[in-house]
Amino acid sequence: GRGNLSQNQARIECLARSPDTPTARVECARLNPGASLDWNLNTDANPYRAIILSAGRGGRLLPLTERLPKCLLDVGGRSLLAWQLRALAEAGVREAVVVTGYGSEFVDLEIERHTPPGMRVRALYNPFFQVADNLASCWIARSEMTGPCLILNGDSLIQAEIARRLLAAPPAPITVTIDRKAAYDEDDMKVVADGERLTAIGKTLTSGDVNGESIGFLRFDAAGSAQFVDEVERSMRVPAGLRRGYLAAINDLAAAGVAKVTAPGPRARL
């Protein structure tokens, strides 16, 4: 009918204006919300699923987080989570899983309101958020890490260009995005890298050996995802597992030489 004709025309006009790329598809969907843009979202060109770790409250930001989790704090007119989803979508990521905990009902509403066109976003609740660190969030989400994936900290504000550079980084089982600066403080998630190879990551590393800081944004290929999930499951079986951060598991894997670093640029962190 006429409706289908106009929808197809919108699709054709979109593709005529821009190449058939993930970013172009998102723009076409935004410009033509009623059009039937029936692309397969899980393409070979970008098979990555993003896991966003947003279960924490953000106690250091009280009283701002007294009622809302830090991922919903306003940053320039949008929530931090909305900015993250927008950046990932603009970089061509078609699917995201948000691990929630504190204020999960508000995060669910935010996902409904601010999922970018052409992107599928789901929430996954972590019932242990009050007693565990983010390693437990990764354990909750381990069934989502069955292939290439990204992990993004819920308090890291990134630009789309950072995501594009991470996706385009040289192949490796695990790639840790870092920033380099003149000095590092106690709260920085410091890294030691030998060229592109990650050798250690943690907040307590000796400052003299440190040559980068993790920005909380990682890429895993299928083999790297499997290795990481195995390490998460192993770590969660020890008494201290609930108190570990997921980057402690990455530090353990670094000894096996499977992790690399890439430095696409700085980010803001709440």
Side-chain angles (χ1 to χ4, degrees):
R2 181 173 298 178
N4 289 336
L5 178 61
S6 63
Q7 290 175 1
N8 289 334
Q9 183 178 359
R11 183 176 190 271
I12 292 169
E13 288 177 354
C14 257
L15 291 177
R17 289 195 303 269
S18 57
D20 184 12
T21 64
T23 301
R25 295 171 190 177
V26 171
E27 181 66 8
C28 287
R30 184 185 69 81
L31 294 173
N32 301 275
S36 178
L37 306 179
D38 54 349
W39 293 290
N40 181 2
L41 297 183
N42 296 317
T43 64
D44 291 338
N46 192 349
Y48 289 92
R49 172 185 294 156
I51 313 294
I52 305 177
L53 305 180
S54 299
R57 179 178 189 176
R60 292 180 300 177
L61 294 174
L62 286 169
L64 295 176
T65 55
E66 186 172 353
R67 297 189 178 184
L68 289 176
K70 60 183 175 180
C71 68
L72 296 187
L73 294 180
D74 184 274
V75 180
R78 287 188 177 91
S79 71
L80 175 56
L81 177 60
W83 282 115
Q84 290 178 321
L85 294 175
R86 182 177 182 177
L88 291 167
E90 289 181 359
V93 177
R94 301 277 63 80
E95 184 177 7
V97 176
V98 183
V99 183
T100 64
Y102 178 72
S104 60
E105 65 275 20
F106 300 113
V107 180
D108 292 343
L109 289 173
E110 189 75 358
I111 290 172
E112 290 180 12
R113 294 169 180 167
H114 295 288
T115 293
M119 190 180 202
R120 180 188 177 206
V121 183
R122 297 176 285 117
L124 183 63
Y125 182 68
N126 173 9
F128 310 116
F129 72 92
Q130 290 183 308
V131 297
D133 209 322
N134 57 22
L135 180 72
S137 285
C138 292
W139 184 82
I140 290 290
R142 66 195 187 282
S143 63
E144 305 288 349
M145 303 178 193
T146 56
C149 69
L150 307 170
I151 289 182
L152 176 60
N153 287 4
D155 60 357
S156 290
L157 181 61
I158 61 167
Q159 295 177 323
E161 184 58 26
I162 291 178
R164 292 189 190 102
R165 293 182 183 179
L166 176 59
L167 291 168
I174 302 171
T175 302
V176 179
T177 311
I178 66 170
D179 184 25
R180 300 189 190 276
K181 54 187 184 180
Y184 303 92
D185 58 42
E186 291 182 358
D187 193 49
D188 289 336
M189 184 56 68
K190 296 174 281 291
V191 304
V192 177
D194 181 7
E196 292 185 346
R197 187 173 72 87
L198 177 71
T199 60
I201 183 168
K203 289 188 176 183
T204 60
L205 296 179
T206 304
S207 59
D209 298 327
V210 171
N211 52 12
E213 174 197 11
S214 169
I215 72 168
F217 193 21
L218 288 73
R219 187 193 72 188
F220 301 79
D221 67 12
S225 292
Q227 290 172 302
F228 178 65
V229 168
D230 285 347
E231 186 62 30
V232 167
E233 291 182 336
R234 186 196 66 78
S235 297
M236 287 293 289
R237 290 177 180 272
V238 303
L242 286 177
R243 298 188 296 275
R244 298 190 83 195
Y246 77 94
L247 288 175
I250 297 296
N251 182 64
D252 293 341
L253 289 170
V258 300
K260 291 187 176 181
V261 299
T262 185
R267 60 79 179 91
R269 189 190 67 190
L270 294 182

